[in-house]
Amino acid sequence: MIRLGILVASDKGYKGERTDESGKLIMELFSRSEYEIVEYIILPDEREIISSNLCRQADHLDIDLILTSGGTGFSPRDVTPEATLDVIQRQAPGISEAIRQKSLEITPLAMLSRGVSGIRNQTLIINLPGSPKAVRECIEVIAPVLPHAIDILKGQTGECARK
Amino acid sequence: MIRLGILVASDKGYKGERTDESGKLIMELFSRSEYEIVEYIILPDEREIISSNLCRQADHLDIDLILTSGGTGFSPRDVTPEATLDVIQRQAPGISEAIRQKSLEITPLAMLSRGVSGIRNQTLIINLPGSPKAVRECIEVIAPVLPHAIDILKGQTGECARK
Amino acid sequence: MIRLGILVASDKGYKGERTDESGKLIMELFSRSEYEIVEYIILPDEREIISSNLCRQADHLDIDLILTSGGTGFSPRDVTPEATLDVIQRQAPGISEAIRQKSLEITPLAMLSRGVSGIRNQTLIINLPGSPKAVRECIEVIAPVLPHAIDILKGQTGECARK
């Protein structure tokens, strides 16, 4: 069972000026037997607030995988990658590279996504974009490797075939 | 109107021992109605000098986009990425990844390019290689998304379709 | 002549509980006239031990190229990228990106490799995965550019055709 946290960064979503679609889509896409959705929150685009909530989800809610949505772009308020870099201890650049590489096949705008991925203790944190369409595409890329990644991270599998 | 700064890092160019072709090529490729070339300078491969000029272009010349050329390789004097990392506040790794990915289709030497991309306040800084041929290839990759990136960065567009 | 160091990070290999195959494979693949294998060591997955040995190989053994194997995954003990980041002065992200990009064509698990590449003084350090199969694939990607990279790094070639 993978304990999943969903953290949406959106000023408008937080203030109720826009309905969050991306976070709900993540919930829907992970409503499978091997995942348990532990928390789904919408936060303003504030670096400190995002980073402290990432820590809370990782350290106190015992969450294995945090998927963020939003705040990865070029707007002055987009700070989700910075908040994530503040709390991860080990970077996992290959995940964000793979996401962007696949997304580039769909649109050149994918190169503007600044998302990062990394590990805090035994929690994997992955930044996803803010649009539902992009979220769906990104999850298709990462979903096949997530269970294996979490197993290794939790020390439940001694060996990895390739890493 | 996008205010463009061109910063060439080249010991030989700075000393006048070599004519700069790459900076001039960038000027030529951006001599379009939506760009205004605010400054074009040639600097020696010195980390402090490059970083302080990046700051000056971003902070005092009100430049939206700085394209550097040169100093991204493996030579002991190549320090443009380090000078850039010194001054950016938010990384934009997808731009440099996309550049290298496309360049890899042309030559395996592309993997030796160490260029980075990032944001300082409302200025986007992108490291391009030093050779005119590579500069041309890289600009083909990034040109389609630059106007949108700058719009978002300056807060002139509320929404990004995909970020 | 390129002076090569091989550093295997493996708790089991270090304790003699497993025969190292990857380090031996690297030796075999580089048993060519232009390479001299200066040192081949197996270390436990300890950040301090790995980083101090990287420094020793680079600074005291005058090694041009250090290839590490192992410790790049998601296991709590995998810290080779962190040990490498501790000692490099200039990142060379394109090498690790190219490795992962090619490996992704073989398996989606490649996105879980956290390897980094970078330069310490005149030494290039590249993290390779732990499995022999992956090591072989990665070396195929990087081998063609290594002699050129080392030449530039040592200042033995004035110019690089593309960088």
Side-chain angles (χ1 to χ4, degrees), chain B residues 49-64:
Chain B
I49 295 175
I50 296 168
S51 63
S52 63
N53 275 279
L54 289 171
C55 288
R56 188 180 53 80
Q57 289 193 333
D59 302 350
H60 299 297
L61 296 185
D62 206 23
I63 283 175
D64 302 314

Side-chain angles (χ1 to χ4, degrees), chain A residues 3 5 8 15 37 57 65-66 74 79 87 131 143 145-146 157:
Chain A
R3 293 173 62 81
V8 176
K15 287 187 265 178
I37 294 164
Q57 288 193 335
L65 171 66
I66 303 174
F74 274 53
V79 292
V87 303
S131 89
V145 306
L146 290 176
T157 305

Side-chain angles (χ1 to χ4, degrees), chain B residues 32-152:
Chain B
R32 286 182 254 158
S33 58
E34 70 264 51
Y35 290 93
E36 178 190 358
I37 294 164
V38 177
E39 189 177 67
Y40 154 52
I41 44 169
I42 303 178
L43 300 175
D45 290 293
E46 294 284 350
R47 183 164 171 172
E48 287 290 316
I49 295 175
I50 296 168
S51 63
S52 63
N53 275 279
L54 289 171
C55 288
R56 188 180 53 80
Q57 289 193 333
D59 302 350
H60 299 297
L61 296 185
D62 206 23
I63 283 175
D64 302 314
L65 172 64
I66 303 174
L67 297 176
T68 74
S69 173
T72 60
F74 274 53
S75 154
R77 298 279 298 163
D78 287 332
V79 292
T80 304
E82 286 65 43
T84 304
L85 290 169
D86 286 344
V87 304
I88 59 174
Q89 296 148 342
R90 296 186 291 164
Q91 290 206 37
I95 296 175
S96 297
E97 287 168 22
I99 286 173
R100 277 189 285 265
Q101 190 183 320
K102 293 283 176 176
S103 303
L104 261 188
E105 294 171 12
I106 301 168
T107 169
L109 290 178
M111 77 180 81
L112 301 182
S113 179
R114 307 189 305 104
V116 300
S117 303
I119 296 163
R120 178 179 173 84
N121 298 319
Q122 298 201 339
T123 304
L124 174 59
I125 306 174
I126 301 174
N127 295 158
L128 301 177
S131 90
K133 183 175 180 305
V135 161
R136 186 184 291 275
E137 292 159 8
C138 294
I139 288 176
E140 267 176 40
V141 174
I142 59 174
V145 306
L146 289 176
H148 182 67
I150 302 299
D151 275 356
I152 300 281

Side-chain angles (χ1 to χ4, degrees), chain C residues 26-142:
Chain C
I26 296 174
M27 273 203 282
E28 184 193 315
L29 294 172
F30 284 91
S31 59
R32 287 182 253 157
S33 57
E34 69 264 50
Y35 290 93
E36 177 190 358
I37 294 165
V38 177
E39 189 177 67
Y40 154 53
I41 44 170
I42 303 176
L43 299 175
D45 289 295
E46 294 284 349
R47 183 165 171 171
E48 287 290 317
I49 294 175
I50 295 169
S51 62
S52 63
N53 275 279
L54 288 172
C55 287
R56 187 180 53 80
Q57 290 193 333
D59 303 349
H60 299 297
L61 296 186
D62 206 24
I63 282 174
D64 302 314
L65 173 64
I66 304 175
L67 297 175
T68 73
S69 173
T72 60
F74 274 53
S75 154
R77 298 279 297 162
D78 288 330
V79 292
T80 304
E82 286 65 43
T84 304
L85 290 170
D86 286 344
V87 303
I88 60 175
Q89 297 148 342
R90 295 187 291 164
Q91 289 206 37
I95 296 176
S96 297
E97 286 168 22
I99 287 173
R100 277 189 285 266
Q101 190 183 320
K102 293 283 175 176
S103 303
L104 262 188
E105 294 171 11
I106 301 168
T107 168
L109 290 178
M111 76 180 81
L112 302 183
S113 178
R114 306 188 306 104
V116 300
S117 303
I119 296 163
R120 178 180 174 83
N121 298 320
Q122 298 201 339
T123 305
L124 174 59
I125 306 174
I126 301 173
N127 295 158
L128 302 177
S131 89
K133 183 174 180 305
V135 161
R136 185 184 293 273
E137 292 159 8
C138 294
I139 287 176
E140 268 176 39
V141 174
I142 59 174

